[in-house]
Amino acid sequence: MNFRGAIAGSLLALMIVPAAHAQTPSPQPNGRAAAAQPAQADQSFSGPSFRKGLWRFIRTLDVVKSANKNFKYRVVNAETTRCVDPTFAMKATFSPDPVGSCVSDKPEKVGNQYTFGHRCDYMGAVSTVITVRSDEAYTELNEVSTGEHPRTDTVVATRIGDCDDGGVANTEKSAAARLQ
């Protein structure tokens, strides 16, 4: 795959995933959503919890073009504001369910950081560090070091206010509709 192809693939994934990142469940092999089995997901979830509301997400994607990692290109620098429940997205991130043949490591928690040495993601196998600043702010850093073009995807999320009644639920429904 050439450099442009790698960037195009990453951009396509980013166009789809940010809408889903903080609000839609991951599809299961049988076609049902992960939310259809809340008791199972809640029992195994040991990650951070965040307040529902209006959140600002700033996402950057940097791609390394040369083998010596001296040349990084910022291919995405996007900001999105949505009514969401980030805890819902964290449940998918912390899910032990395999993605194809990829199986995620269990996260290690040290202080306010959750570290996955190997996590299955839309970008492939990534190393992930989630730094929780409070129940209203976190940073997620995903690094892919394999392949022709290593990349770093960073999301800085901050709660900036409340939503209208049902705002989170309505946003979840519209995001799910966009993905279908």
Side-chain angles (χ1 to χ4, degrees), residues 95-167:
S95 172
D97 295 335
V99 177
S101 62
C102 181
V103 178
S104 296
D105 292 341
K106 291 185 179 185
E108 294 181 24
K109 184 177 188 280
V110 177
N112 66 335
Q113 289 189 330
Y114 295 84
T115 303
F116 296 83
H118 172 88
R119 187 177 68 79
C120 304
D121 189 79
Y122 72 94
M123 294 189 337
V126 300
S127 65
T128 298
V129 177
I130 298 170
T131 304
V132 179
R133 296 191 316 252
S134 70
D135 65 349
E136 295 186 341
Y138 70 91
T139 301
E140 181 175 335
L141 174 66
N142 297 294
E143 294 181 312
V144 177
S145 57
T146 60
E148 276 185 55
H149 305 289
R151 50 204 177 276
T152 303
D153 178 35
T154 306
V155 177
V156 177
T158 309
R159 186 179 186 278
I160 56 175
D162 294 327
C163 297
D164 297 336
D165 289 344

Side-chain angles (χ1 to χ4, degrees), residues 86-101:
T87 303
F88 189 76
M90 288 295 160
K91 288 180 182 179
T93 300
F94 280 71
S95 172
D97 295 335
V99 177
S101 62

Side-chain angles (χ1 to χ4, degrees), residues 10-23 55-62 73-82 89-90 93 119 121-123 126 128 130 138-142 152-158:
S10 295
L11 290 175
L12 178 60
L14 285 172
M15 290 170 53
I16 295 169
V17 173
H21 183 263
Q23 55 219 2
W55 283 73
R56 175 178 295 129
F57 299 92
I58 300 171
R59 169 167 270 163
T60 57
L61 176 64
D62 295 324
Y73 293 91
R74 174 129 320 149
V75 294
V76 173
N77 190 9
E79 183 175 329
T80 305
T81 303
R82 297 188 301 270
M90 288 295 160
T93 300
R119 187 177 68 79
D121 189 79
Y122 72 94
M123 294 189 337
V126 300
T128 298
I130 298 170
Y138 70 91
T139 301
E140 181 175 335
L141 174 66
N142 297 294
T152 303
D153 178 35
T154 306
V155 177
V156 177
T158 309

